[in-house]
Amino acid sequence: MSEQQPPAVSVIMPVLNEERHLRTSVRHILEQDYAGELEVVIALGPSADRTDEIAAELVREDPRVHTVPNPTGRTPAALNAAIKASRHPIVVRVDGHGMLSPNYIATAVRLLDETGAQNVGGIMHAEGENAWEQAVAAAMTSRIGVGNAAFHTGGAAAPAETVYLGVFRREVLEKLGGYNEEFIRAQDWELNFRIREDGGLIWFSPELKVSYRPRPNVKALAKQYKNYGRWRHVVARYHQGSINLRYLAAPTAVVAIAAGLVVGAAVTPWGLVVPAGYLAAITAGSLPAGRGLPLKARAQIPVALATMHMSWGFGFLTSPRALAKKVIASRREPVRAG
C-alpha cells in the first residue's frame, strides 16, 4: 500500500431505523482526512422511520454514496449485500449510529500495511447525549461493566480475538465467504474467529476510535445485552473452544443472585448476602466509572451495570440449543464484488 497512492476504500453500513444518527454518521465518513478514493454503501433494512428518506437524500447530495436493499433487516445479510455492491480492496464497517474519528480510515489503512493484519479495529467510544446514555457509556467503558475487552476499555496495540466493527482486506472476506448470515448477533466475533482459525491476524489499536451512541432506555439496553449473551452462546456451541472465563462471569452472577434470593426468601436471610454483595460491588464500581459526570448520570450507572450483566447472563443461560443447530455449518460461497 503506497503512501503516494492510498488504496481505494469501501465503507459498508447496515442500517435499520437510524434516522436519528444516519446523516451525522455518513458525514463523519465523507469528511475523512483520507487521500484515496472513497465510496459508501448503505444497506437499507425495512425501517419504520425516515431512514430510507434520509439515505435517498444522501445519495442525491454526494455521488460517493450508494444504497442496496436488505429486505430481511438482519445485520449480517446487510453487510454481505453491501460487500457485494462495493468495489474497493479495503472494506470498512461502520454502523448507522457510529461516528468515525477524522483520521480513522487513514490510520486503519496504515495499520493494515504495518502489521500485515487481515482486520484492524479500535475503541468503541461510547458517548451519551443525556444522563441515561452517559451512564450507559460509563458502564460500557469500565472493567466492572465489560471486563477486560480492549475495544471497550482501551489498552496497548496488540493482536486481539476481536475488534469493534473492523477494517478488512477484501481478499479475506471473499476467501471466508463474508459474514455468516445465520448469526443475527455476534457476527463480528464469529467472523474474526474464522479469520484467526485461517491463520489471519486481528489487530487492536487505540489509535482507532469510533464514537458510539448507547441505547436510549433500560428496555432497549436489556434487549441489546440479552441478544449479546444469547448469540455468544451460539458462537460457543458453533466453535468449540471459543469460550473463556470472562464470558461466564455474567451467567454465573445471574445463577448466584437468583439462588441467593430464593434461599433468602425460603430458608435463611443469609442467602441475601449474595445479591446484596453484588449491589454493593456495582455501586462501588460505579464511582470511578462515573468520575466527572453529572450527578444524575452517576446515579444511574448501577442500573446500567445491573441491566447489562443480568441481561447478558440471562440471554446466555436461556440460549436454546435449537438456535445453534439452525446455524449453517457448511462453507458459504465467496462474497465477491459485483
Side-chain angles (χ1 to χ4, degrees), residues 197-236:
E197 287 286 286
D198 190 58
L201 173 66
I202 311 298
W203 187 262
F204 165 81
S205 173
E207 291 183 78
L208 298 171
K209 186 173 76 171
V210 181
S211 295
Y212 167 88
R213 300 295 187 258
R215 295 298 192 270
N217 52 58
V218 172
K219 182 179 179 181
L221 182 68
K223 181 179 179 181
Q224 178 188 21
Y225 271 79
K226 178 186 174 184
N227 281 328
Y228 282 170
R230 179 184 179 95
W231 283 94
R232 189 62 190 80
H233 204 164
V234 174
V235 174

Side-chain angles (χ1 to χ4, degrees), residues 2-280:
S2 169
E3 290 184 2
Q4 288 71 34
Q5 294 180 324
V9 169
S10 297
V11 180
I12 58 172
M13 300 183 71
V15 300
L16 181 69
N17 296 322
E18 291 287 3
E19 69 172 2
R20 183 180 174 191
H21 300 300
L22 179 59
R23 176 172 287 278
T24 305
S25 181
V26 171
R27 177 172 57 79
H28 278 76
I29 297 167
L30 298 177
E31 294 178 357
Q32 282 288 296
D33 183 14
Y34 186 66
E37 186 179 350
L38 185 71
E39 68 172 354
V40 182
V41 181
I42 304 172
L44 296 170
S47 295
D49 60 11
R50 295 183 59 252
T51 295
D52 287 12
E53 181 181 338
I54 294 169
E57 292 172 356
L58 292 167
V59 170
R60 289 193 297 269
E61 293 165 7
D62 196 302
R64 294 174 292 176
V65 181
H66 314 280
T67 61
V68 292
N70 173 37
T72 69
R74 294 180 172 183
T75 299
L79 291 165
N80 283 344
I83 292 168
K84 287 181 180 179
S86 65
R87 301 174 290 123
H88 298 322
I90 304 299
V91 178
V92 179
R93 175 182 171 176
V94 182
D95 287 340
H97 47 270
M99 313 296 163
L100 299 185
S101 53
N103 63 345
Y104 181 89
I105 291 177
T107 302
V109 170
R110 173 177 59 80
L111 289 170
L112 284 173
D113 194 23
E114 291 176 352
T115 65
Q118 298 298 320
N119 180 21
V120 300
I123 294 174
M124 179 182 180
H125 184 66
E127 292 182 329
E129 296 180 334
N130 55 46
W132 166 251
E133 291 179 0
Q134 289 170 346
V136 176
M140 292 179 69
T141 53
S142 67
R143 290 188 178 275
I144 192 172
V146 294
N148 62 351
F151 68 87
H152 280 297
T153 61
E161 287 187 348
T162 192
V163 289
Y164 180 52
L165 300 178
V167 177
F168 301 86
R169 300 178 190 269
R170 177 180 293 277
E171 61 198 35
V172 74
L173 296 175
E174 294 187 346
K175 178 181 181 182
L176 298 181
Y179 290 85
N180 187 328
E181 295 187 12
E182 295 297 320
F183 282 87
I184 310 306
R185 298 289 187 275
Q187 64 276 153
D188 295 297
W189 205 101
E190 195 276 336
L191 173 58
N192 285 319
F193 182 87
R194 284 188 283 125
I195 291 174
R196 290 187 287 110
E197 287 286 286
D198 190 58
L201 173 66
I202 311 298
W203 187 262
F204 165 81
S205 173
E207 291 183 78
L208 298 171
K209 186 173 76 171
V210 181
S211 295
Y212 167 88
R213 300 295 187 258
R215 295 298 192 270
N217 52 58
V218 172
K219 182 179 179 181
L221 182 68
K223 181 179 179 181
Q224 178 188 21
Y225 271 79
K226 178 186 174 184
N227 281 328
Y228 282 170
R230 179 184 179 95
W231 283 94
R232 189 62 190 80
H233 204 164
V234 174
V235 174
R237 287 168 170 158
Y238 183 69
H239 292 300
Q240 295 295 321
S242 66
I243 200 70
N244 61 42
L245 291 178
R246 178 165 66 89
Y247 295 113
L248 299 178
T252 301
V254 170
V255 171
I257 290 169
L261 290 172
V262 170
V263 171
V267 181
T268 172
W270 284 105
L272 299 177
V273 168
V274 174
Y278 172 77
L279 288 175

